[in-house]
Amino acid sequence: MTHRTCQAIILAAGQGTRMKSKTPKVLHKIAGLPMVGHVSSAALNAGVERVALIVGPDMDAVLQEAQKKHPSVIACEQTERLGTAHAVLAARSELAKASDDVIILFADTPLLRPETILAMRDKLAEGFEVVVLGFRTDAPDPYGRLLQQDGKLVAIREAKDCTDEEFKVNFCNGGIMGFSGAHLLGLLDEIKNDNAQGEYYLTDAVEIANARGLKVTAIEADEAELQGVNSRAHLAKVEATFQTRAREEAMANGVTLTAPETVFFSHDTKLGQDITIEPNVFFAPGVTVGDDVTILANCYFEDAIIGEGCSIGPYARLRPGTVLEKKAKVGNFVEIKKSLVEEGAKVNHLTYIGDARVGAKANIGAGTITCNYDGFSKFKTDIGKGAFIGSNTSLVAPASIGDGAIIGAGSVITDAVNADDLAFTRAKPIVKPGWAAAFRSRKSKEKK
Ligand code: UD1
Ligand code: MG
């Protein structure tokens, strides 16, 4: 295929009233990323050079969110919401720059794959001027119908404008369309709003293109890929489809999921090979897991890097800024935030590590707490290589424990401890010989 230029127009100006939300619909998230981000990623991964987002007058947040992931995305404002063709025309100045191909995408259809956009571009390269993405479904009710004659796409009819016969058609419009850049503006300018909803329908471009003798075709995609989100129930359905895809991909790439349906990935989770993940594990955005890692049941991770051969959980929480180097061990009821746990270090039980470095092969005893916050500021704790922190220790930051130092159990450490020193704070035990036995015998006599 010769190289053709391509721009994408993403429609995002719709109100999304059925979401019943203060947040614009396309900012609702699938796998931790707003829907609009999924769609702009798909466009850019399909080799589109320019992306214009059509937003309503009150939707700065949508553009900001889209630009967070892709700074090159620009916005065009649709001042009134008069239909999908009217929305595309809001990008008239962009369209005037005339790319060879223009792909129209919906920001509320986030599972579309770059491969499918490429298949549409292939059709445009073959010489079709209009390409429509369709799908077959058992429940076509709300969708526009793709009307074909002798295998040719002749029109798209919105459900509300269908005759009884047309309404029975189950080949539906996914909403996504591809156009030859040379013809799009001419087609859009001819679209009228004489239909059941009084809107300018992009879908009318098909009949107009046929009347002009242009080549029009439909390609079929998977129904799940074209699921649009109009309600919270659709959002959950699309999330479920995303997760099924992500789990299948993880397993295909060498990850064992003991109970796949209970593990939830983010849009950007990166997994190595020979990882085992037990049930009920949640990956929020920004997590990378190296090879040969074992994740036991019931863990939550966010913005964390887990090095090769680590073992984590059950019941561990890694918060943003956590880095576990090779073969580190993090056990049950441990929370780690913004900390580096160096190679082979162990944090096995009931511990909070925040704003800290845990040196290589250090051992952190059960119930250790880095006291990193005084109610106003955060302070750091530095634990040296091979240090041993006894159980139930509070390290009051700023704290520094030298390499190989030992801290006795039950200590509150407020001063720096040098390498290889022992430090502990301890009240002397008071021992009263035989007191417990005498107490029990007195109490049991009183009871009689
Ligand atoms: C549209 C299609 C329908 C298709 C269905 C697939 C048209 C006329 N109909 O219907 O054939 O089966 O999608 O899901 O295209 N938008 C704007 N400005 C507007 C109106 C809409 O930006 O003035 C945006 C919305 O934010 C949304 C997209 O366009 O991202 C589609 O609009 P929506 O109202 O959801 O169209 P449907 O009725 O679903
Ligand atoms: Mg819709």
Side-chain angles (χ1 to χ4, degrees), residues 10-16 18 25-26 54-56 59 78 80-88 105-109 135 140 142-146 156-159 172-177 197 199-204 226-230:
I10 303 179
L11 306 195
Q15 306 264 30
R18 280 170 285 173
K25 174 166 80 174
V26 300
I54 310 297
V55 292
M59 291 169 86
Q78 185 192 20
E80 280 179 289
R81 290 151 171 119
L82 299 179
T84 45
H86 182 261
V88 178
L105 302 165
F106 287 179
D108 68 353
T109 308
F135 63 98
Y143 296 109
R145 306 298 201 273
L146 300 189
I156 305 178
R157 194 83 70 233
E158 288 306 290
C172 294
N173 177 24
I176 289 142
M177 293 172 76
Q197 301 189 92
E199 284 189 7
Y200 296 89
Y201 290 161
L202 179 62
T203 45
D204 284 354
L226 293 180
Q227 168 76 51
V229 173
N230 296 313

Side-chain angles (χ1 to χ4, degrees), residues 354-355 370-374 378-381 395-399 413-414:
D355 304 303
T370 54
C371 310
N372 59 331
Y373 184 51
D374 64 2
K378 301 273 167 64
F379 300 94
K380 293 198 164 132
T381 299
L395 300 170
V396 181
I413 300 295
T414 50

Side-chain angles (χ1 to χ4, degrees), residues 49-366:
E49 288 102 18
R50 287 182 292 140
V51 175
L53 190 65
I54 310 297
V55 292
D58 41 4
M59 291 169 86
D60 283 352
V62 174
L63 176 65
Q64 277 165 24
E65 190 56 52
Q67 286 181 335
K68 228 195 257 173
K69 186 150 172 72
H70 303 297
S72 63
V73 171
I74 61 145
C76 301
E77 190 175 292
Q78 185 192 20
T79 39
E80 280 179 289
R81 290 151 171 119
L82 299 179
T84 45
H86 182 261
V88 178
L89 276 172
R92 187 185 284 279
S93 58
E94 279 303 298
L95 293 170
K97 294 177 194 161
S99 299
D100 297 323
D101 302 340
V102 182
I103 303 287
I104 314 288
L105 302 165
F106 287 179
D108 68 353
T109 308
L111 295 181
L112 182 73
R113 292 173 309 130
E115 293 83 342
T116 308
I117 298 176
L118 283 169
M120 297 178 80
R121 293 192 61 192
D122 283 345
K123 284 283 173 204
L124 293 169
E126 271 174 41
F128 287 96
E129 275 100 4
V130 180
V131 181
V132 176
L133 204 53
F135 63 98
R136 290 187 196 275
T137 173
D138 297 336
D141 307 13
Y143 296 109
R145 306 298 201 273
L146 300 189
L147 307 180
Q148 292 176 296
Q149 260 168 27
D150 308 323
K152 270 193 60 190
L153 180 66
V154 292
I156 305 178
R157 194 83 70 233
E158 288 306 290
K160 287 184 180 152
D161 300 303
C162 278
T163 61
D164 290 348
E165 227 18 65
E166 288 166 348
F167 199 72
K168 287 182 198 147
V169 172
N170 73 349
F171 191 26
C172 294
N173 177 24
I176 289 142
M177 293 172 76
F179 290 90
S180 126
H183 292 87
L184 177 57
L185 274 176
L187 294 170
L188 289 173
D189 282 329
E190 211 176 299
I191 292 173
K192 311 240 168 3
N193 65 349
D194 49 356
N195 51 52
Q197 301 189 92
E199 284 189 7
Y200 296 89
Y201 290 161
L202 179 62
T203 45
D204 284 354
V206 167
E207 262 176 302
I208 298 168
N210 277 312
R212 289 185 178 190
L214 300 177
K215 285 177 76 189
V216 180
T217 190
I219 56 178
E220 195 175 327
D222 187 30
E223 181 182 1
E225 186 179 345
L226 293 180
Q227 168 76 51
V229 173
N230 296 313
S231 64
R232 308 259 183 174
H234 292 155
L235 191 71
K237 197 170 165 190
V238 168
E239 177 76 40
T241 306
F242 179 97
Q243 293 301 338
T244 305
R245 268 191 199 173
R247 291 164 192 150
E248 280 166 4
E249 202 181 307
M251 292 188 282
N253 290 330
V255 175
T256 295
L257 302 177
T258 319
E261 64 289 356
T262 67
V263 176
F264 294 83
F265 294 108
S266 245
H267 65 101
D268 60 353
T269 309
K270 292 190 184 65
L271 301 169
Q273 255 187 26
D274 286 315
I275 294 167
T276 296
I277 305 177
E278 287 193 351
N280 302 323
V281 175
F282 188 91
F283 293 85
V287 179
T288 299
V289 187
D291 291 347
D292 304 314
V293 167
T294 302
I295 299 167
L296 303 180
N298 302 307
C299 291
Y300 190 105
F301 307 132
E302 181 178 6
D303 194 10
I305 297 171
I306 300 170
E308 218 180 290
C310 286
S311 160
I312 305 166
Y315 296 98
R317 178 175 181 201
L318 303 183
R319 291 174 50 204
T322 297
V323 176
L324 305 185
E325 285 186 353
K326 264 194 199 166
K327 297 201 167 158
K329 272 194 82 187
V330 174
N332 42 218
F333 306 106
V334 170
E335 173 181 343
I336 303 183
K337 184 215 76 164
K338 212 175 175 184
S339 295
L340 171 65
V341 179
E342 291 180 351
E343 189 171 340
K346 292 181 187 160
V347 190
N348 273 338
H349 336 262
L350 302 152
T351 286
Y352 172 62
I353 300 288
D355 304 303
R357 175 186 77 104
V358 178
K361 297 217 163 116
N363 188 88
I364 308 296

